[in-house]
Amino acid sequence: KNQVEQSPQSLIILEGKNCTLQCNYTVSPFSNLRWYKQDTGRGPVSLTIMTFSENTKSNGRYTATLDADTKQSSLHITASQLSDSASYICVVSGIRQTGANNLFFGTGTRLTVIP
Amino acid sequence: DARVTQTPRHKVTEMGQEVTMRCQPILGHNTVFWYRQTMMQGLELLAYFRNRAPLDDSGMPKDRFSAEMPDATLATLKIQPSEPRDSAVYFCASGLGQAFGYTFGSGTRLTVV
């Protein structure tokens, strides 16, 4: 079972509307959680990174929240634009017994913004 | 803007051939990752280096894959022999550590026929 689950798998919204993407994880112990945006044919681009003690972080119209108790994160996109059409990937970093980090990836949410 | 450069962008090869993918990390970045992305599996970490030393390659099939950093400006991922199931997009990413995030290259799209 994947330790990072994202929902929905895909989403279509009208330009200008808001949307929220979900990421649930079981990774423990937890180091940090990142949201990436990946345009078609391009590499992922980091949007936010949050550690255990952070509840929310914003990057322009993107706001990520983290509840480390329930192991849930969300990415809220405000006033969507056509350029927001992309895949959004949640990546959780765990900590191994050796102290090294271990990365766990969600399979992403495919967002399509239509005019 | 500083960027991670990957070559080639696309590669089509026959099963059994050797494939080498190259990555030039951002100057000054001390951590380099190799990832593989497929529709079915999403992103998978293959290997990563810190200060050119391999720290983790547990995600990589050792019998056919090898990753090296001959110097600070070049990371390579080699597949020998290649198989059709290796078809994927291979990304390189570099950074300064967990707290700073990582920059991805545009990827090498590999097709093994």
Side-chain angles (χ1 to χ4, degrees), chain A residues 65-102:
Chain A
T65 65
L66 173 65
D67 186 334
D69 291 331
T70 61
K71 294 185 167 54
Q72 295 179 329
S73 177
S74 65
L75 181 69
H76 187 74
I77 304 175
T78 305
S80 61
Q81 300 176 358
L82 298 179
S83 59
D84 293 331
S85 296
S87 288
Y88 292 82
I89 302 169
C90 175
V91 182
V92 179
S93 181
I95 304 173
R96 296 179 181 169
Q97 288 181 336
T98 60
N101 285 291
N102 199 9

mmCIF file of all heavy atoms in Angstrom, chain A residues 65-102:
data_model
loop_
_atom_site.group_PDB
_atom_site.id
_atom_site.type_symbol
_atom_site.label_atom_id
_atom_site.label_comp_id
_atom_site.label_asym_id
_atom_site.label_seq_id
_atom_site.Cartn_x
_atom_site.Cartn_y
_atom_site.Cartn_z
ATOM 1 N N THR A 65 -1.739 23.251 3.715
ATOM 2 C CA THR A 65 -1.957 23.059 5.149
ATOM 3 C C THR A 65 -1.434 21.685 5.533
ATOM 4 O O THR A 65 -1.366 20.766 4.704
ATOM 5 C CB THR A 65 -3.444 23.164 5.507
ATOM 6 O OG1 THR A 65 -4.147 22.090 4.874
ATOM 7 C CG2 THR A 65 -4.022 24.495 5.069
ATOM 8 N N LEU A 66 -1.097 21.556 6.789
ATOM 9 C CA LEU A 66 -0.593 20.282 7.290
ATOM 10 C C LEU A 66 -1.145 20.025 8.676
ATOM 11 O O LEU A 66 -1.085 20.902 9.552
ATOM 12 C CB LEU A 66 0.944 20.284 7.347
ATOM 13 C CG LEU A 66 1.599 19.070 8.006
ATOM 14 C CD1 LEU A 66 1.331 17.808 7.200
ATOM 15 C CD2 LEU A 66 3.100 19.299 8.170
ATOM 16 N N ASP A 67 -1.720 18.851 8.861
ATOM 17 C CA ASP A 67 -2.128 18.380 10.181
ATOM 18 C C ASP A 67 -1.308 17.125 10.465
ATOM 19 O O ASP A 67 -1.639 16.035 9.993
ATOM 20 C CB ASP A 67 -3.630 18.073 10.208
ATOM 21 C CG ASP A 67 -4.123 17.719 11.598
ATOM 22 O OD1 ASP A 67 -3.305 17.226 12.417
ATOM 23 O OD2 ASP A 67 -5.316 17.909 11.868
ATOM 24 N N ALA A 68 -0.240 17.293 11.236
ATOM 25 C CA ALA A 68 0.660 16.173 11.490
ATOM 26 C C ALA A 68 0.023 15.122 12.401
ATOM 27 O O ALA A 68 0.461 13.975 12.422
ATOM 28 C CB ALA A 68 1.964 16.684 12.095
ATOM 29 N N ASP A 69 -0.998 15.511 13.154
ATOM 30 C CA ASP A 69 -1.660 14.541 14.025
ATOM 31 C C ASP A 69 -2.480 13.554 13.215
ATOM 32 O O ASP A 69 -2.470 12.340 13.469
ATOM 33 C CB ASP A 69 -2.559 15.258 15.032
ATOM 34 C CG ASP A 69 -1.759 16.045 16.054
ATOM 35 O OD1 ASP A 69 -0.613 15.621 16.350
ATOM 36 O OD2 ASP A 69 -2.245 17.089 16.525
ATOM 37 N N THR A 70 -3.229 14.078 12.248
ATOM 38 C CA THR A 70 -4.062 13.208 11.415
ATOM 39 C C THR A 70 -3.329 12.769 10.144
ATOM 40 O O THR A 70 -3.864 11.980 9.368
ATOM 41 C CB THR A 70 -5.366 13.912 11.009
ATOM 42 O OG1 THR A 70 -5.041 15.088 10.253
ATOM 43 C CG2 THR A 70 -6.168 14.299 12.253
ATOM 44 N N LYS A 71 -2.128 13.297 9.961
ATOM 45 C CA LYS A 71 -1.312 12.941 8.781
ATOM 46 C C LYS A 71 -2.055 13.295 7.492
ATOM 47 O O LYS A 71 -2.186 12.455 6.582
ATOM 48 C CB LYS A 71 -0.922 11.472 8.813
ATOM 49 C CG LYS A 71 0.013 11.100 9.965
ATOM 50 C CD LYS A 71 0.454 9.648 9.870
ATOM 51 C CE LYS A 71 1.608 9.318 10.790
ATOM 52 N NZ LYS A 71 1.365 9.668 12.186
ATOM 53 N N GLN A 72 -2.512 14.530 7.456
ATOM 54 C CA GLN A 72 -3.212 14.999 6.274
ATOM 55 C C GLN A 72 -2.669 16.356 5.848
ATOM 56 O O GLN A 72 -2.322 17.194 6.698
ATOM 57 C CB GLN A 72 -4.717 15.130 6.560
ATOM 58 C CG GLN A 72 -5.406 13.814 6.845
ATOM 59 C CD GLN A 72 -6.884 13.995 7.136
ATOM 60 O OE1 GLN A 72 -7.302 15.009 7.673
ATOM 61 N NE2 GLN A 72 -7.682 13.010 6.762
ATOM 62 N N SER A 73 -2.615 16.552 4.547
ATOM 63 C CA SER A 73 -2.224 17.839 3.996
ATOM 64 C C SER A 73 -3.176 18.184 2.859
ATOM 65 O O SER A 73 -3.755 17.302 2.226
ATOM 66 C CB SER A 73 -0.790 17.784 3.478
ATOM 67 O OG SER A 73 -0.426 19.015 2.866
ATOM 68 N N SER A 74 -3.346 19.475 2.646
ATOM 69 C CA SER A 74 -4.152 19.910 1.516
ATOM 70 C C SER A 74 -3.436 21.039 0.798
ATOM 71 O O SER A 74 -2.630 21.759 1.391
ATOM 72 C CB SER A 74 -5.540 20.376 1.981
ATOM 73 O OG SER A 74 -5.418 21.530 2.794
ATOM 74 N N LEU A 75 -3.721 21.154 -0.476
ATOM 75 C CA LEU A 75 -3.222 22.265 -1.278
ATOM 76 C C LEU A 75 -4.423 22.993 -1.842
ATOM 77 O O LEU A 75 -5.214 22.405 -2.586
ATOM 78 C CB LEU A 75 -2.324 21.768 -2.413
ATOM 79 C CG LEU A 75 -1.738 22.859 -3.303
ATOM 80 C CD1 LEU A 75 -0.706 23.690 -2.530
ATOM 81 C CD2 LEU A 75 -1.091 22.278 -4.554
ATOM 82 N N HIS A 76 -4.571 24.245 -1.450
ATOM 83 C CA HIS A 76 -5.706 25.048 -1.893
ATOM 84 C C HIS A 76 -5.234 26.027 -2.954
ATOM 85 O O HIS A 76 -4.259 26.759 -2.732
ATOM 86 C CB HIS A 76 -6.306 25.794 -0.700
ATOM 87 C CG HIS A 76 -7.569 26.516 -1.021
ATOM 88 N ND1 HIS A 76 -8.770 25.874 -1.203
ATOM 89 C CD2 HIS A 76 -7.807 27.835 -1.216
ATOM 90 C CE1 HIS A 76 -9.710 26.760 -1.489
ATOM 91 N NE2 HIS A 76 -9.153 27.948 -1.503
ATOM 92 N N ILE A 77 -5.935 26.032 -4.065
ATOM 93 C CA ILE A 77 -5.612 26.955 -5.153
ATOM 94 C C ILE A 77 -6.753 27.960 -5.260
ATOM 95 O O ILE A 77 -7.917 27.571 -5.424
ATOM 96 C CB ILE A 77 -5.417 26.213 -6.485
ATOM 97 C CG1 ILE A 77 -4.337 25.137 -6.339
ATOM 98 C CG2 ILE A 77 -5.031 27.198 -7.594
ATOM 99 C CD1 ILE A 77 -4.161 24.261 -7.565
ATOM 100 N N THR A 78 -6.394 29.206 -5.163
ATOM 101 C CA THR A 78 -7.388 30.286 -5.188
ATOM 102 C C THR A 78 -7.439 30.935 -6.558
ATOM 103 O O THR A 78 -6.406 31.133 -7.193
ATOM 104 C CB THR A 78 -7.027 31.345 -4.135
ATOM 105 O OG1 THR A 78 -6.904 30.711 -2.860
ATOM 106 C CG2 THR A 78 -8.064 32.431 -4.062
ATOM 107 N N ALA A 79 -8.661 31.265 -6.989
ATOM 108 C CA ALA A 79 -8.842 31.988 -8.260
ATOM 109 C C ALA A 79 -8.031 31.339 -9.366
ATOM 110 O O ALA A 79 -7.112 31.942 -9.936
ATOM 111 C CB ALA A 79 -8.453 33.454 -8.085
ATOM 112 N N SER A 80 -8.358 30.113 -9.686
ATOM 113 C CA SER A 80 -7.561 29.303 -10.613
ATOM 114 C C SER A 80 -7.399 29.992 -11.963
ATOM 115 O O SER A 80 -8.273 30.736 -12.432
ATOM 116 C CB SER A 80 -8.200 27.938 -10.792
ATOM 117 O OG SER A 80 -9.505 28.074 -11.338
ATOM 118 N N GLN A 81 -6.255 29.700 -12.568
ATOM 119 C CA GLN A 81 -5.936 30.212 -13.899
ATOM 120 C C GLN A 81 -5.663 29.032 -14.827
ATOM 121 O O GLN A 81 -5.358 27.928 -14.364
ATOM 122 C CB GLN A 81 -4.709 31.124 -13.828
ATOM 123 C CG GLN A 81 -4.896 32.327 -12.927
ATOM 124 C CD GLN A 81 -3.644 33.168 -12.800
ATOM 125 O OE1 GLN A 81 -2.595 32.850 -13.352
ATOM 126 N NE2 GLN A 81 -3.751 34.253 -12.044
ATOM 127 N N LEU A 82 -5.765 29.288 -16.115
ATOM 128 C CA LEU A 82 -5.531 28.210 -17.080
ATOM 129 C C LEU A 82 -4.141 27.604 -16.890
ATOM 130 O O LEU A 82 -3.949 26.405 -17.083
ATOM 131 C CB LEU A 82 -5.685 28.736 -18.510
ATOM 132 C CG LEU A 82 -7.069 29.279 -18.879
ATOM 133 C CD1 LEU A 82 -7.067 29.779 -20.322
ATOM 134 C CD2 LEU A 82 -8.140 28.216 -18.692
ATOM 135 N N SER A 83 -3.197 28.420 -16.482
ATOM 136 C CA SER A 83 -1.826 27.938 -16.297
ATOM 137 C C SER A 83 -1.673 27.031 -15.072
ATOM 138 O O SER A 83 -0.611 26.426 -14.881
ATOM 139 C CB SER A 83 -0.862 29.116 -16.168
ATOM 140 O OG SER A 83 -1.228 29.929 -15.063
ATOM 141 N N ASP A 84 -2.715 26.938 -14.262
ATOM 142 C CA ASP A 84 -2.658 26.009 -13.126
ATOM 143 C C ASP A 84 -2.868 24.563 -13.570
ATOM 144 O O ASP A 84 -2.669 23.633 -12.783
ATOM 145 C CB ASP A 84 -3.718 26.367 -12.080
ATOM 146 C CG ASP A 84 -3.460 27.698 -11.401
ATOM 147 O OD1 ASP A 84 -2.274 28.084 -11.294
ATOM 148 O OD2 ASP A 84 -4.435 28.361 -11.005
ATOM 149 N N SER A 85 -3.275 24.367 -14.805
ATOM 150 C CA SER A 85 -3.478 22.999 -15.322
ATOM 151 C C SER A 85 -2.148 22.263 -15.290
ATOM 152 O O SER A 85 -1.181 22.656 -15.951
ATOM 153 C CB SER A 85 -4.026 23.043 -16.750
ATOM 154 O OG SER A 85 -5.303 23.630 -16.779
ATOM 155 N N ALA A 86 -2.113 21.214 -14.491
ATOM 156 C CA ALA A 86 -0.860 20.477 -14.281
ATOM 157 C C ALA A 86 -1.158 19.304 -13.363
ATOM 158 O O ALA A 86 -2.290 19.128 -12.900
ATOM 159 C CB ALA A 86 0.199 21.375 -13.638
ATOM 160 N N SER A 87 -0.130 18.513 -13.103
ATOM 161 C CA SER A 87 -0.227 17.492 -12.063
ATOM 162 C C SER A 87 0.385 18.038 -10.787
ATOM 163 O O SER A 87 1.419 18.713 -10.833
ATOM 164 C CB SER A 87 0.506 16.216 -12.492
ATOM 165 O OG SER A 87 -0.200 15.554 -13.500
ATOM 166 N N TYR A 88 -0.243 17.755 -9.662
ATOM 167 C CA TYR A 88 0.246 18.222 -8.372
ATOM 168 C C TYR A 88 0.618 16.994 -7.541
ATOM 169 O O TYR A 88 -0.211 16.114 -7.301
ATOM 170 C CB TYR A 88 -0.818 19.081 -7.677
ATOM 171 C CG TYR A 88 -1.030 20.384 -8.401
ATOM 172 C CD1 TYR A 88 -1.864 20.452 -9.512
ATOM 173 C CD2 TYR A 88 -0.336 21.529 -8.030
ATOM 174 C CE1 TYR A 88 -2.032 21.629 -10.216
ATOM 175 C CE2 TYR A 88 -0.496 22.721 -8.727
ATOM 176 C CZ TYR A 88 -1.335 22.758 -9.817
ATOM 177 O OH TYR A 88 -1.484 23.931 -10.523
ATOM 178 N N ILE A 89 1.869 16.956 -7.132
ATOM 179 C CA ILE A 89 2.407 15.773 -6.484
ATOM 180 C C ILE A 89 2.771 16.097 -5.041
ATOM 181 O O ILE A 89 3.420 17.110 -4.760
ATOM 182 C CB ILE A 89 3.661 15.274 -7.236
ATOM 183 C CG1 ILE A 89 3.303 14.964 -8.700
ATOM 184 C CG2 ILE A 89 4.244 14.032 -6.566
ATOM 185 C CD1 ILE A 89 4.506 14.711 -9.583
ATOM 186 N N CYS A 90 2.338 15.230 -4.155
ATOM 187 C CA CYS A 90 2.651 15.341 -2.725
ATOM 188 C C CYS A 90 3.816 14.398 -2.431
ATOM 189 O O CYS A 90 3.772 13.217 -2.812
ATOM 190 C CB CYS A 90 1.411 14.960 -1.923
ATOM 191 S SG CYS A 90 1.625 14.893 -0.134
ATOM 192 N N VAL A 91 4.838 14.903 -1.778
ATOM 193 C CA VAL A 91 6.017 14.097 -1.465
ATOM 194 C C VAL A 91 6.292 14.211 0.031
ATOM 195 O O VAL A 91 6.445 15.313 0.551
ATOM 196 C CB VAL A 91 7.255 14.561 -2.252
ATOM 197 C CG1 VAL A 91 8.449 13.664 -1.938
ATOM 198 C CG2 VAL A 91 6.971 14.570 -3.746
ATOM 199 N N VAL A 92 6.345 13.082 0.704
ATOM 200 C CA VAL A 92 6.566 13.065 2.148
ATOM 201 C C VAL A 92 7.939 12.473 2.425
ATOM 202 O O VAL A 92 8.295 11.412 1.889
ATOM 203 C CB VAL A 92 5.484 12.244 2.864
ATOM 204 C CG1 VAL A 92 5.748 12.222 4.373
ATOM 205 C CG2 VAL A 92 4.104 12.814 2.573
ATOM 206 N N SER A 93 8.677 13.150 3.251
ATOM 207 C CA SER A 93 10.007 12.691 3.627
ATOM 208 C C SER A 93 9.953 12.073 5.009
ATOM 209 O O SER A 93 9.534 12.718 5.967
ATOM 210 C CB SER A 93 10.984 13.865 3.598
ATOM 211 O OG SER A 93 12.280 13.441 3.942
ATOM 212 N N GLY A 94 10.338 10.800 5.082
ATOM 213 C CA GLY A 94 10.400 10.127 6.360
ATOM 214 C C GLY A 94 11.841 10.053 6.837
ATOM 215 O O GLY A 94 12.771 10.462 6.134
ATOM 216 N N ILE A 95 12.033 9.542 8.011
ATOM 217 C CA ILE A 95 13.377 9.432 8.589
ATOM 218 C C ILE A 95 13.659 7.967 8.878
ATOM 219 O O ILE A 95 12.912 7.306 9.593
ATOM 220 C CB ILE A 95 13.507 10.250 9.886
ATOM 221 C CG1 ILE A 95 13.139 11.710 9.622
ATOM 222 C CG2 ILE A 95 14.924 10.148 10.428
ATOM 223 C CD1 ILE A 95 13.074 12.531 10.877
ATOM 224 N N ARG A 96 14.748 7.493 8.326
ATOM 225 C CA ARG A 96 15.121 6.104 8.567
ATOM 226 C C ARG A 96 15.828 5.959 9.907
ATOM 227 O O ARG A 96 16.237 6.939 10.520
ATOM 228 C CB ARG A 96 16.055 5.617 7.470
ATOM 229 C CG ARG A 96 15.426 5.593 6.117
ATOM 230 C CD ARG A 96 16.424 5.123 5.093
ATOM 231 N NE ARG A 96 15.850 5.109 3.768
ATOM 232 C CZ ARG A 96 16.548 4.945 2.667
ATOM 233 N NH1 ARG A 96 17.847 4.801 2.734
ATOM 234 N NH2 ARG A 96 15.959 4.943 1.496
ATOM 235 N N GLN A 97 16.007 4.723 10.309
ATOM 236 C CA GLN A 97 16.727 4.452 11.552
ATOM 237 C C GLN A 97 18.149 4.973 11.477
ATOM 238 O O GLN A 97 18.743 5.342 12.489
ATOM 239 C CB GLN A 97 16.736 2.950 11.838
ATOM 240 C CG GLN A 97 15.384 2.412 12.267
ATOM 241 C CD GLN A 97 15.432 0.928 12.574
ATOM 242 O OE1 GLN A 97 16.296 0.218 12.069
ATOM 243 N NE2 GLN A 97 14.518 0.457 13.394
ATOM 244 N N THR A 98 18.700 5.025 10.290
ATOM 245 C CA THR A 98 20.060 5.521 10.117
ATOM 246 C C THR A 98 20.120 7.035 10.232
ATOM 247 O O THR A 98 21.206 7.609 10.294
ATOM 248 C CB THR A 98 20.596 5.142 8.731
ATOM 249 O OG1 THR A 98 19.741 5.718 7.741
ATOM 250 C CG2 THR A 98 20.635 3.635 8.554
ATOM 251 N N GLY A 99 18.968 7.667 10.243
ATOM 252 C CA GLY A 99 18.930 9.131 10.269
ATOM 253 C C GLY A 99 18.803 9.737 8.890
ATOM 254 O O GLY A 99 18.510 10.922 8.754
ATOM 255 N N ALA A 100 19.006 8.946 7.865
ATOM 256 C CA ALA A 100 18.870 9.450 6.494
ATOM 257 C C ALA A 100 17.394 9.606 6.152
ATOM 258 O O ALA A 100 16.530 8.961 6.741
ATOM 259 C CB ALA A 100 19.533 8.485 5.521
ATOM 260 N N ASN A 101 17.112 10.469 5.204
ATOM 261 C CA ASN A 101 15.729 10.673 4.779
ATOM 262 C C ASN A 101 15.308 9.652 3.743
ATOM 263 O O ASN A 101 16.132 9.125 2.999
ATOM 264 C CB ASN A 101 15.571 12.079 4.212
ATOM 265 C CG ASN A 101 15.548 13.123 5.304
ATOM 266 O OD1 ASN A 101 14.611 13.204 6.072
ATOM 267 N ND2 ASN A 101 16.598 13.904 5.387
ATOM 268 N N ASN A 102 14.028 9.383 3.710
ATOM 269 C CA ASN A 102 13.452 8.467 2.748
ATOM 270 C C ASN A 102 12.239 9.162 2.144
ATOM 271 O O ASN A 102 11.409 9.705 2.873
ATOM 272 C CB ASN A 102 13.037 7.171 3.449
ATOM 273 C CG ASN A 102 12.869 6.038 2.479
ATOM 274 O OD1 ASN A 102 13.220 6.163 1.314
ATOM 275 N ND2 ASN A 102 12.338 4.932 2.940
#
